[in-house]
């Protein structure tokens, strides 16, 4: 059986796999060539440089977001569905998601999720500057939640702090932390995300009403 011919999708897939294993810092044209068992110069026939490769990784990840929101639904429900869709793909590609939020993408694949989110907010009556700020707020929330869930940021992350460990704190110096050891030592990531998402949507709805 002849080996699969080298192609841009194959190169990008190798980069995605490497990033998820070792992080974006591990990516180089030479390393990807080694992963694929080809000469490094052969990659340049398909991808001009590392920056273009990382852009392609981000675009590929974004292209897999499945939008299921109804254009005729209330804007709050559309925002919920879009946020959940981004979170779902971020869970599937947690390290590549960090690449996504660090790139300035100009392709259709890169701009479609942004366009969809902005269109939802604009149709809800938000001004252009407000819509951009709201979008950035949601992205920051989703990425922050992701970092906690995958254990990148240990602060308040139950995966790193058991109830027993938290219970060892001095109750005189830290009475609230001590009394809430059970709550701090347990976390339903799905419920936590939905709780924060609802808070954001309610706050934004209040802001909309204030200017409406």
């Amino acid at each position: 059986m002849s080996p699969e011919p080298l192609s841009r999708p194959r190169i990008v897939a190798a980069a995605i796999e490497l990033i998820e294993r070792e992080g974006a810092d591990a990516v180089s044209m030479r390393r990807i060539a080694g992963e694929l068992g080809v000469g490094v110069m052969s990659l340049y026939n398909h991808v001009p440089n590392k920056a273009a490769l990382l852009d392609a990784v981000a675009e590929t990840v974004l292209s897999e977001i499945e939008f299921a929101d109804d254009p005729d639904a209330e804007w709050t429900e559309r925002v919920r569905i879009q946020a959940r869709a981004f979170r779902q793909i971020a869970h599937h590609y947690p390290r590549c998601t960090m690449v996504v939020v660090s790139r300035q993408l100009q392709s259709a694949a890169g701009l479609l999720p942004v366009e969809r989110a902005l269109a939802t907010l604009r149709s809800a009556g938000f001004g252009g500057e407000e819509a951009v700020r709201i979008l950035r707020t949601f992205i920051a929330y989703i990425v922050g939640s992701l970092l906690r869930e995958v254990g990148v940021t240990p602060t308040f992350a139950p995966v790193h702090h058991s109830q027993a460990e938290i219970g060892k704190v001095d109750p005189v110096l830290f009475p609230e932390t001590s009394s809430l050891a059970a709550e701090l030592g347990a976390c339903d990531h799905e419920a936590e995300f939905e709780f924060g998402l609802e808070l954001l949507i309610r706050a934004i709805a209040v802001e909309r009403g204030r200017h409406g």
Side-chain angles (χ1 to χ4, degrees):
M1 185 175 179
S2 60
E4 183 182 350
L6 190 62
S7 64
R8 188 175 185 274
R10 189 176 168 215
I11 294 168
V12 173
I16 289 173
E17 185 177 334
L18 177 60
I19 291 170
E20 290 303 323
R21 283 202 324 266
E22 301 180 26
D25 288 343
V27 174
S28 69
M29 299 299 274
R30 188 171 299 280
R31 180 67 187 278
I32 296 299
E35 293 283 319
L36 293 170
V38 300
V40 66
M41 295 308 296
S42 63
L43 299 184
Y44 293 100
N45 294 321
H46 305 275
V47 182
N49 49 49
K50 177 182 173 178
L53 177 57
L54 291 177
D55 282 348
V57 165
E59 290 162 4
T60 299
V61 169
L62 287 174
S63 71
E64 293 189 23
I65 296 178
E66 295 182 3
F67 292 107
D69 55 306
D70 181 356
D72 296 323
E74 283 290 321
W75 71 268
T76 52
E77 184 58 23
R78 294 192 66 193
V79 166
R80 286 188 190 93
I81 292 172
Q82 290 171 18
R84 289 166 185 160
F86 184 65
R87 177 175 182 257
Q88 183 177 30
I89 206 70
H91 262 269
H92 193 63
Y93 300 107
R95 287 182 164 178
C96 286
T97 297
M98 299 302 104
V99 176
V100 169
V101 298
S102 70
R103 313 302 292 180
Q104 292 290 332
L105 303 177
Q106 301 300 323
S107 67
L111 292 175
L112 180 59
V114 175
E115 176 66 23
R116 198 175 186 106
L118 290 175
T120 298
L121 295 168
R122 293 286 278 152
S123 66
F126 293 103
E129 185 177 0
E130 282 182 312
V132 169
R133 286 180 172 177
I134 292 169
L135 173 60
R136 287 173 176 162
T137 299
F138 273 104
I139 291 173
Y141 171 67
I142 295 167
V143 171
S145 297
L146 174 71
L147 291 175
R148 183 190 61 194
E149 291 178 36
V150 300
V152 177
T153 52
T155 304
F156 303 118
V159 70
H160 295 297
H161 298 291
S162 68
Q163 180 180 342
E165 290 173 326
I166 297 173
K168 293 177 182 177
V169 303
D170 188 332
V172 175
L173 292 176
F174 308 104
E176 297 299 336
T177 303
S178 178
S179 67
L180 294 171
E183 288 77 5
L184 289 169
C187 182
D188 180 334
H189 290 308
E190 193 73 29
E192 294 282 335
F193 178 81
E194 290 295 326
F195 178 79
L197 180 60
E198 286 306 309
L199 283 183
L200 274 179
I201 290 174
R202 289 178 192 174
I204 293 165
V206 169
E207 182 71 9
R208 176 174 175 266
R210 192 164 66 88
H211 293 287

